[in-house]
Amino acid sequence: MNKQLYMDSIEKVDTYKRFGKVHRVIGLMIESKGPEASIGDLCYIHTPSGTAKKIEAEVVGFHDENLLLMPYLEIKEIGPGSLVEGTNGPLKIKAGLGLIGQVLDSLGRPMNNQKLPKGLKTFPTDQNPPNPLERPTIKSPIQVGVRAIDSLLTVGRGQRVGIFAGSGVGKSTLLGMISRNSSADINVIALIGERGREVREFIENDLGPEGLKRSIVIVATSDQPALMRMKGAYTATAISEYFREKGYDVNLLMDSVTRFAMAQREIGLATGEPPTTKGYTPSVFATLPKLLERTGTSKNGSITAFYTVLVDGDDLNEPISDTVRGILDGHFVLDRRLAEQNHFPAINILKSISRVMNQVTENKHKQSASRLRSLLATYEENSELIQIGAYKRGSSRDIDEAIKYHPSIIDFLKQDVHEPSTIEKSTDILSQLFS
């Protein structure tokens, strides 16, 4: 019986290699006549004889029956008539426990030029989101290790959260704290469109050796082609999905989904899409939900995802911020005003929300969190009167209480970068604030 299966498999194998030729290059795009291929297929472009080098490219569109290819790397060595070899399939990566502690590029290859460890399994980067009816509901909290989040914005196992911030407000530092202190089994960290200088700084300073021991880092720097930056997000998500299907609780931390959207915009404009909302092409708003919906719970494990969103001019209503906020299960807003006051992590509790907190916390915890929010909101509403001395004590019981507890609330919300905190410890301190 096994012999027959092998024979059937051999008969189905396509033993032909199909080639085409480069017809022209326009900007980021390579147009070739042939080979037969579908959207998303991987092709190899052979450089002139003597170098024996193949450049990987992906089919992103068609024009008058010619293929439109976008390369993963630079296109300097491609000339008219260069051979284009089809592979009849999309890009696949290697995934497995051997990747933990590794720093990879967007194609899943080690950045230190070493070989991948043995025992890894081949896994496609492009997957469909799970069936909604096969997603278990989120019922248990996951420790993030940041006091303000664990107590007031509790994250559920398998929740997807956006971290909204302008530049230089502490996104990378917050991601490093989550990576080191979270109770998840594995961290998958995607640095998309990051400055080359900041990659090593993040790995050595923010993540640190203890964080790297249980993390896989995927890097696509800002100087790389748009397709590499986009593939970095897909590769990180695919590796997270691999571990989720093995039963692990995974943290996916992506910095940033805005640069993923910008890369998709570059590709869309190059293939001839019209720019619509603030220059973004329609494919950007079609691709974002497909990427973000792939994370979350499944019947085997979970992916708790944290996506950073760059907010231009601290405008939370620009198109990408608005779209991402509508898709995800909560958002944390990092406030520049708090950062300027040396309040770190600079999370604006009143502007942030966790949509599953009520499902994963007990009544006592919810009541304490609601009271802190009320006191903080009362103080913020009347802060100008309080600071200029126009408010007279005794005029309002609520304001008096807000003034009384404000110093201890601020002390509670502040946390040093290397100060560990468990979810139990955070909730205990929260309940003791008002006792």
Side-chain angles (χ1 to χ4, degrees), residues 215-327:
S215 300
I216 302 164
V217 183
I218 291 90
V219 176
T221 50
S222 58
D223 61 297
Q224 293 182 330
L227 196 59
M228 279 290 268
R229 283 176 271 140
M230 205 178 86
K231 279 292 166 190
Y234 283 124
T235 297
T237 306
I239 291 172
S240 302
E241 287 170 324
Y242 171 84
F243 285 110
R244 177 177 65 184
E245 297 316 304
K246 296 292 181 185
Y248 290 94
D249 291 319
V250 185
N251 267 356
L252 172 63
L253 303 102
M254 189 178 295
D255 184 14
S256 71
V257 75
T258 308
R259 294 193 182 113
F260 166 83
M262 288 176 174
Q264 177 62 45
R265 176 175 64 182
E266 282 182 46
I267 293 168
L269 291 171
T271 54
E273 278 189 82
T276 51
T277 314
K278 284 202 174 178
Y280 287 100
T281 56
S283 64
V284 173
F285 302 102
T287 306
L288 276 172
K290 289 180 182 176
L291 176 73
L292 303 179
E293 285 290 345
R294 285 170 61 179
T295 53
T297 56
S298 80
K299 57 188 176 184
N300 298 320
S302 69
I303 301 172
T304 308
F306 298 89
Y307 299 98
T308 68
V309 182
L310 286 168
V311 182
D312 292 337
D314 296 330
D315 175 17
L316 290 169
N317 296 316
E318 58 96 27
I320 298 303
S321 302
D322 217 26
T323 304
V324 171
R325 192 167 58 241
I327 297 166

Side-chain angles (χ1 to χ4, degrees), residues 103-378:
V103 181
L104 311 172
D105 68 7
S106 297
L107 306 181
R109 299 179 297 211
M111 296 281 285
N112 58 6
N113 297 320
Q114 301 292 319
K115 288 186 178 180
L116 283 169
K118 294 181 179 178
L120 303 178
K121 299 287 176 68
T122 302
F123 201 74
T125 58
D126 205 355
Q127 303 266 1
N128 290 322
N131 185 322
L133 296 181
E134 292 179 3
R135 286 182 185 267
T137 54
I138 299 169
K139 293 179 180 175
S140 61
I142 189 168
Q143 176 182 299
V144 172
V146 178
R147 202 159 45 231
I149 296 173
D150 283 336
S151 58
L152 303 169
L153 301 162
T154 312
V155 175
R157 201 176 299 276
Q159 187 177 349
R160 300 159 306 143
V161 180
I163 299 173
F164 293 75
S167 53
V169 189
K171 293 186 306 299
S172 298
T173 306
L174 181 60
L175 291 183
M177 289 175 74
I178 295 170
S179 303
R180 291 193 309 274
N181 303 329
S182 170
S183 61
D185 302 318
I186 297 166
N187 297 313
V188 179
I189 303 167
L191 303 177
I192 309 298
E194 199 64 81
R195 302 174 189 88
R197 172 186 64 80
E198 290 186 339
V199 171
R200 192 160 178 178
E201 283 183 10
F202 174 82
I203 293 167
E204 293 182 1
N205 301 337
D206 296 324
L207 189 58
E210 58 181 300
L212 188 58
K213 278 180 190 172
R214 58 193 195 99
S215 300
I216 302 164
V217 183
I218 291 90
V219 176
T221 50
S222 58
D223 61 297
Q224 293 182 330
L227 196 59
M228 279 290 268
R229 283 176 271 140
M230 205 178 86
K231 279 292 166 190
Y234 283 124
T235 297
T237 306
I239 291 172
S240 302
E241 287 170 324
Y242 171 84
F243 285 110
R244 177 177 65 184
E245 297 316 304
K246 296 292 181 185
Y248 290 94
D249 291 319
V250 185
N251 267 356
L252 172 63
L253 303 102
M254 189 178 295
D255 184 14
S256 71
V257 75
T258 308
R259 294 193 182 113
F260 166 83
M262 288 176 174
Q264 177 62 45
R265 176 175 64 182
E266 282 182 46
I267 293 168
L269 291 171
T271 54
E273 278 189 82
T276 51
T277 314
K278 284 202 174 178
Y280 287 100
T281 56
S283 64
V284 173
F285 302 102
T287 306
L288 276 172
K290 289 180 182 176
L291 176 73
L292 303 179
E293 285 290 345
R294 285 170 61 179
T295 53
T297 56
S298 80
K299 57 188 176 184
N300 298 320
S302 69
I303 301 172
T304 308
F306 298 89
Y307 299 98
T308 68
V309 182
L310 286 168
V311 182
D312 292 337
D314 296 330
D315 175 17
L316 290 169
N317 296 316
E318 58 96 27
I320 298 303
S321 302
D322 217 26
T323 304
V324 171
R325 192 167 58 241
I327 297 166
L328 299 179
D329 310 317
H331 53 271
F332 304 157
V333 177
L334 300 189
D335 196 325
R336 190 175 299 281
R337 183 177 56 84
L338 291 175
E340 287 166 354
Q341 295 169 4
N342 202 33
H343 178 129
F344 291 104
I347 301 169
N348 188 320
I349 298 298
L350 300 177
K351 289 183 180 178
S352 305
I353 191 169
S354 168
R355 290 180 182 160
V356 304
M357 180 176 173
N358 289 338
Q359 300 170 29
V360 299
T361 52
E362 297 174 355
N363 284 333
K364 185 182 176 184
H365 181 175
K366 280 183 244 183
Q367 288 166 5
S368 299
S370 295
R371 189 168 182 209
L372 189 147
R373 275 179 173 271
S374 298
L375 290 169
L376 201 56
T378 302

